[in-house]
Amino acid sequence: MDALLYFAPIAGICALLFAFYLIRRITAMDAGNARMQEIAAAIHAGAMAFLGRQYKTLVIFILIIVVIISVVGLLTTGADSLKPATALAFAIGAACSILAGNIGMRIATKANVRTANAAYQSGLNKALTCAFSGGAVMGMSVVGLGLLGLGIVVLFSNDSSIINGFSFGASSVALFGRVGGGIYTKAADVGADLVGKVEAGIPEDDPRNPATIADNVGDNVGDVAGMGSDLFESYVGSVIAAIALGASLQIPNGVIAPMLIAAVGILASIIGTFFVNVKEGGNPQKSLNRGQIISTVLAIIGILIVCLTVLDEGYVVGDKSYTALGVFASACAGLLVGFVIGNVTEYYTSADYSPVKRIAKSCETGTATNIISGVATGMLSTAIPIILVAIGILIAYACAGLYGIAMAAVGMLATTGMVVAVDAYGPISDNAGGIAEMSELPHEVREITDKLDSVGNTTAAIGKGFAIGSAALTALALFTAYTQAVGISDINILDPVVVVGLFIGGMLPFLFCAMTMNSVGRAAQSMIEEVRRQFREVTGLLEGKAKPDYARCVDISCQAALREMVPPSVMAVVVPLFIGLCPGLGPECLGGVLCGTLVTGFLLAIFLANSGGAWDNAKKYIEEGHHGGKGSEPHAAAVNGDTVGDPFKDTSGPSLNILIKLMTIIALVFAPLF
Amino acid sequence: MDALLYFAPIAGICALLFAFYLIRRITAMDAGNARMQEIAAAIHAGAMAFLGRQYKTLVIFILIIVVIISVVGLLTTGADSLKPATALAFAIGAACSILAGNIGMRIATKANVRTANAAYQSGLNKALTCAFSGGAVMGMSVVGLGLLGLGIVVLFSNDSSIINGFSFGASSVALFGRVGGGIYTKAADVGADLVGKVEAGIPEDDPRNPATIADNVGDNVGDVAGMGSDLFESYVGSVIAAIALGASLQIPNGVIAPMLIAAVGILASIIGTFFVNVKEGGNPQKSLNRGQIISTVLAIIGILIVCLTVLDEGYVVGDKSYTALGVFASACAGLLVGFVIGNVTEYYTSADYSPVKRIAKSCETGTATNIISGVATGMLSTAIPIILVAIGILIAYACAGLYGIAMAAVGMLATTGMVVAVDAYGPISDNAGGIAEMSELPHEVREITDKLDSVGNTTAAIGKGFAIGSAALTALALFTAYTQAVGISDINILDPVVVVGLFIGGMLPFLFCAMTMNSVGRAAQSMIEEVRRQFREVTGLLEGKAKPDYARCVDISCQAALREMVPPSVMAVVVPLFIGLCPGLGPECLGGVLCGTLVTGFLLAIFLANSGGAWDNAKKYIEEGHHGGKGSEPHAAAVNGDTVGDPFKDTSGPSLNILIKLMTIIALVFAPLF
């Protein structure tokens, strides 16, 4: 059966080949006139500058961790010890995630201008195809490099404690992508808006604003690289958790099955992308939905085939026996929960439904009622996702035991390629609109890009919900693997040490959010000062006679973000190690901490993402002419809500996905020490 | 040793006699001129009208529960079954809490005008004494009726499952006091402000505003009756949890000890009140602190004596033995944690320290940054209280086992009489200021009442922190008693049913907050419409020629509050019963739910209370002339923050204290059914 292990890396290579084909297609397209190319080049250069600076810090971080793991691994010996090879797996995992993010960003910042030009020269379908292809490159890079890298590691070693290192590497990159990236994108956004729109009185995306390129870079940093690294982490994390459980529970082919499911998911995603196209005047949303539904259906069929062929023997855990169909049901439960959570997110954050309409109405009585209404909506929106995940867990466990919970996560993430493609399509369209604006293309072009962009907002909301749900389920699967790794079969809530763990763990997401929110404020301050300086010192800038120094804004914002991400990151890394190693606390207490962080992290992430998203769309709804429209008092209230929501939905909320996974993976990797 | 059981009701009677003495002293004071008496009479009548209407609903609620418990008790038989006598204990508990609230409110609304008049006629010390005596009546009623009622129940039955009924009764009243009262007070506040200040342009506390009496009634409803019923619940809940654990762990004198500690705590509180007085021009804060410190020191000495005399044998649980000094250490740990949490709350919400100053500064860049800064501060402020409670739990458990955790809660609440006295002093001073304003007393009078009021804000912050901390520790003690009652010694987080419980339980506080926040909005709407109607229909009202219909505003706001509290209350009551009785979920899952609710409820309560308090004081800080002062742009931003914070700190936050206790007590009372 070991020949089956080659399927995973082969599927990964298929994804990469497909990505390569898409890249060829995108780069062959016309990049528009000189002005457009100039702006696009600035965004591209900014994005690359951001990545370059990030890599400098990241490489140091990775080297330190490699040394720590290697040294600790050499000092501890025995069957269950930490191994130097884990450090290698860690480095490979980090490298794969970095490479995926780099390819994705590189192409996204080429696809944006070509999307604008396609909208200008050819119309809706060509523009959609270009933007979606750009997103699909990111999606295919994520799943391709994820499964190729992991497949190679698994081919060389079937030792779970080594394989876990790969997941830790992915987590580390995601930390930089989501936390650092999240701070960067909002610092740039706030800086650009506050000095540009409010102080200097120039419109959004105006080329005279020195921060405007940084702002456009930020969209890519947050929604392409950040989201990509987050889902990369969930993707490999879920597969690795299933591998670890499959091995420790001694399930026949339990290690191969999750990799094969990931492999068929890749093929399903590739096929799905071919169904994304739209007639002139048609609805891009429908075509994206079509692509996703086809991928999902194909993935379900593929999962069924995998289960029936490699898990046909079934397995026994304790006194319970499970069948292949049970595992299939678990994976499908995960897949469906992910799908529905995404749509619930859309319900709470789209202006098509009553929650956002109610928030928009509350703007009539001012900012305060808008804020209260948004907070209440965000809190309310936690109920259904939690209940869905709870039902998913119960079904998965009933059908296939603990292994079923991990397989639910694998099932949920099977179509990650498609999910990332649809998600990364958003910022590309958004960028295309910005480029159209800055290069003064005709109004109709902006109309097409706006149409694509508004669909992008919906897909972004769905993607966010999916990312949170998958992070929670992956963390739970990793948590289960952790308890197997430390060999504890009982974490008793009635033990006060565990309760204390739950309390402390529950508090960490609040602390983490507070830290990241304050970070955005401070990083934005650095940006504001730089923009003010340029307006003051660069003569002729506001008259459009001189060019601003875009690169410097990108650089300053990037530096500030990297500086600000240190304290929350250190907390996420150090706390699990401290709790696990501290005498009197130890692995049971750590179990409580991880569980507490998982619960409140998941809840806060949904709350923050959805209230932020709802405020954003309530503002847009008012701008469409409701409740007084642009420039009215309610609009001013809505703008305040939107600004409050920015760090909620783009920094603190998504960063929590990383917190809950990273803490668990650290516990898992360092489990031999506890 | 049974003779010792009489100490508790005797101490309760002492407290009530002392309250009676204070009442005589207060009512003997001069109630001021006719105008003042007229206004005070309106507030008094409004408060009584609120209570009257609340009682109507409450009596029906109590009767329904009495019938349910009795019927279920008659249907189930056996040693562990639910008993009809539990229904009687429930009714007694409810009656005691209602009576305490009624006495407290009745006297608070007499003390307010006498405080104003004392400030007018005699000066600071007399005013402070009057306001504090009014608060002390509430404090003594709470602990007196709490311990007298509980003492009588215990004298008649030593069956834990019957005694638990008393706690459930107290919880039910607290539900109405905190949730209903919380919605009422903010609906009245928002209604009064929005139509009065914003629409009609008349100042705060202006007698022409029909909602102004309702607003002043609201201060009493929220901070006197609401806080009183909350701490009444914690007070009896902690003692009952210790009794239940003392009985089930068969600790010699384990049932008597917590009641004796409560008794010495009452005596310590009575003595402490005699030290609250101030010289002319002195600092009222210092005198209140002096009273509290003396009570605390006396309580510690009393607890030591109780432990050394009745627990001198020590006890053995499992293979561990504990001593009297261990229990003493546990109780002291609780007492100190309560004290420090209160002060941490003050740090985060007082304008004397950097967090509020930073929030005030953030108002310079507008409302949005103010909101973000306040949210971040509130989230940050969860860290220290959680860590303190965690340390307290670990110390208490190490020193005295599970019984120690309950005794930590008893210790924390020993000086409840003093805590409530200091807390209820706040709204009386606030009311006195309002009466001075409305009856146009000289400016110097307002200066004295403002001085008292500003101290009241600090004590309110400390009281809120204390209430949250004590609710959490009481709920944990009750939770431990619940697990003993259902006979489970292991609730394993690795069991997916428990994890699902943690997820669902963790979500409930979010849902509960969302519901109560929306409730305030809707109830305020009813109030706004009534005030607008009166301004429109009562001719000569705005010119001061006609009198508004104050009573109708009180009534409408009260009706709305009682209507709005139904859905969240039903949720709090039904969910534990449903989870406990649902096949496939059951008592272990319910354990997870209770624990999840406890963790996120505690966290959210701190977050909401502290961000709300911080915004409030940031606004006051700006009004003192910082960052542009009253009427400036930063002030407008600060006002928005304060309005957002109102339902946070006065409705949703405090209501969570009830949620976490009530759900646990329901689980405990109905444990025989699971």
Side-chain angles (χ1 to χ4, degrees), chain A residues 164 241 244-245 248 474-489 491 576 579-581 585-595 663-674, chain B residues 494:
Chain A
N164 294 337
L245 285 171
S248 70
T474 301
L476 185 64
L478 289 168
F479 173 69
T480 312
Y482 156 75
T483 57
Q484 293 280 336
V486 287
I488 40 180
S489 58
I491 299 180
I579 301 274
L581 295 171
L585 299 176
E588 272 92 4
C589 181
L590 179 53
V593 168
L594 295 176
C595 211
M663 281 180 58
T664 319
I665 197 78
I666 287 175
L668 179 58
V669 167
F670 290 95
L673 303 183
F674 303 150
Chain B
L494 301 185

Side-chain angles (χ1 to χ4, degrees), chain A residues 189-379:
Chain A
D189 190 9
V190 171
D193 281 3
L194 218 71
V195 187
K197 280 205 273 191
V198 181
E199 291 185 12
I202 55 179
E204 190 157 351
D205 287 335
D206 190 294
R208 288 171 294 174
N209 189 337
T212 192
I213 294 292
D215 189 11
N216 274 284
V217 168
D219 291 341
N220 292 296
V221 165
D223 291 341
V224 179
M227 176 66 103
S229 65
D230 186 354
L231 284 176
F232 186 97
E233 182 192 14
S234 289
Y235 185 67
V236 301
S238 65
V239 174
I240 285 172
I243 289 176
L245 285 171
S248 70
L249 299 172
Q250 298 179 316
I251 294 169
N253 285 330
V255 170
I256 295 175
M259 301 194 66
L260 289 180
I261 288 180
V264 298
I266 286 183
L267 301 180
S269 296
I270 292 176
I271 297 171
T273 59
F274 289 102
F275 292 87
V276 177
N277 48 53
V278 64
K279 287 206 186 97
E280 225 43 54
N283 186 351
Q285 180 75 60
K286 276 193 188 152
S287 89
L288 290 172
N289 289 351
R290 189 169 55 234
Q292 268 190 312
I293 289 170
I294 288 171
S295 301
T296 305
V297 171
L298 290 176
I300 290 176
I301 296 170
I303 294 170
L304 179 64
I305 295 170
V306 170
C307 288
L308 290 178
T309 48
V310 303
L311 294 173
D312 52 334
E313 290 176 42
Y315 56 96
V316 176
V317 178
D319 54 355
K320 285 193 180 141
S321 62
Y322 301 100
T323 64
L325 281 179
V327 177
F328 170 68
S330 302
C332 287
L335 197 66
L336 288 177
V337 167
F339 185 79
V340 181
I341 285 185
N343 286 287
V344 170
T345 308
E346 199 209 335
Y347 171 76
Y348 280 106
T349 58
S350 155
D352 294 341
Y353 304 98
S354 60
V356 170
K357 284 188 181 146
R358 227 176 292 133
I359 294 176
K361 179 149 178 51
S362 75
C363 290
E364 288 187 352
T365 38
T367 298
T369 42
N370 179 30
I371 301 291
I372 294 172
S373 183
V375 168
T377 302
M379 287 187 166

Side-chain angles (χ1 to χ4, degrees), chain A residues 30-46:
Chain A
D30 183 7
N33 63 36
R35 175 85 188 116
M36 289 165 73
Q37 293 196 30
E38 187 192 354
I39 295 163
I43 296 176
H44 183 76

Side-chain angles (χ1 to χ4, degrees), chain A residues 421-441:
Chain A
V422 170
D423 202 79
Y425 145 93
I428 295 174
S429 308
D430 191 7
N431 262 231
I435 293 170
E437 185 79 33
M438 285 188 263
S439 52
E440 291 152 13
L441 292 185

